[in-house]
Amino acid sequence: MVLKEKTLEVEEIFKGKVFDVTLEKAELENGQQAMRELIHHNGGVCVVPVDEEGNVYMVKQFRYPFKEVLLEVPAGKLEKGENHRECGVRELKEEIGATAESVEYLGCIYPTVAYDTEIIHMYLARGLSFGEQRLDEGEFVDVVKMPFSQAFDMVMNNEIPDSKTQTAILKTYFLLNK
């Protein structure tokens, strides 16, 4: 089995500031056709900032789709063509006011594989120095400092539902405990 679909037609449905939506006709392996609704997103970055004392810095912010405040690692959207490491460094400064001596790549995740092209790149930041936050206009976050072990426990106890935060915290945990 080849496990491949061929794109036959693409219709642009919506063009937005954060993502675009297309309706696509695809030919399946057996020759039949299927419609695919796709969200096209430039991707994003998240950073797990860990200090020398073993604390992690996270942000609480209101997430409109769920109408609730979520606890997350600092993160942000990639601009078209932007380097994901540079985006992570920028988001660290913007959201928690920190710079890092080292920024280590943890890999990437595809958070919604069935209909979204978004890829989120994850980093671990160490050797932190703090200055002033530089939040985007209309961005409101509370910075939360906690022992990394507490954040790990919160992930394991299903208290942090955000997928990028879960994955980045778990990868960092295993990296720090090698």
Side-chain angles (χ1 to χ4, degrees):
M1 214 179 260
V2 178
L3 296 178
K4 188 154 175 104
E5 297 181 8
K6 179 181 175 186
T7 303
L8 301 175
E9 294 176 19
V10 177
E11 178 186 354
E12 188 175 275
I13 302 298
F14 173 78
K15 191 156 187 67
K17 289 173 27 178
V18 177
F19 60 84
D20 302 333
V21 178
T22 58
L23 180 61
E24 303 188 12
K25 186 185 290 185
E27 182 179 328
L28 308 177
E29 285 187 52
N30 64 4
Q32 292 183 335
Q33 295 179 359
M35 298 306 291
R36 303 289 188 228
E37 297 170 349
L38 293 178
I39 296 171
H40 300 272
H41 190 285
N42 288 334
V45 174
C46 70
V47 182
V48 181
V50 178
D51 67 18
E52 287 75 19
E53 289 82 39
N55 296 302
V56 64
Y57 296 79
M58 301 175 71
V59 295
K60 281 186 177 180
Q61 65 181 337
F62 183 80
R63 290 302 194 176
Y64 190 83
F66 302 100
K67 307 291 191 273
E68 64 183 276
V69 175
L70 296 180
L71 183 64
E72 306 172 43
V73 292
K77 296 183 299 288
L78 280 165
E79 300 299 325
K80 195 170 193 95
E82 183 178 20
N83 174 282
H84 51 79
R85 184 183 188 285
E86 291 172 11
C87 178
V89 168
R90 174 177 48 84
E91 288 297 334
L92 191 62
K93 182 67 177 167
E94 286 179 7
E95 293 198 355
I96 68 166
T99 56
E101 288 176 14
S102 75
V103 180
E104 183 178 348
Y105 190 59
L106 298 173
C108 68
I109 59 171
Y110 296 5
T112 313
V113 297
Y115 55 83
D116 190 346
T117 65
E118 181 179 23
I119 297 172
I120 299 176
H121 299 274
M122 300 170 291
Y123 286 90
L124 168 60
R126 295 192 256 197
L128 304 175
S129 300
F130 289 90
E132 191 175 315
Q133 275 180 311
R134 294 189 181 140
L135 296 172
D136 291 332
E137 187 175 329
E139 184 176 31
F140 305 95
V141 302
D142 289 333
V143 177
V144 177
K145 174 184 171 182
M146 69 175 66
F148 183 82
S149 60
Q150 181 182 350
F152 174 79
D153 289 343
M154 291 177 77
V155 168
M156 296 307 294
N157 293 324
N158 296 312
E159 297 172 47
I160 298 177
D162 176 57
S163 66
K164 71 183 176 305
T165 299
Q166 287 186 3
T167 304
I169 291 289
L170 293 174
K171 284 190 147 198
T172 298
Y173 176 83
F174 285 104
L175 183 68
L176 296 177
N177 291 289
K178 264 187 170 174

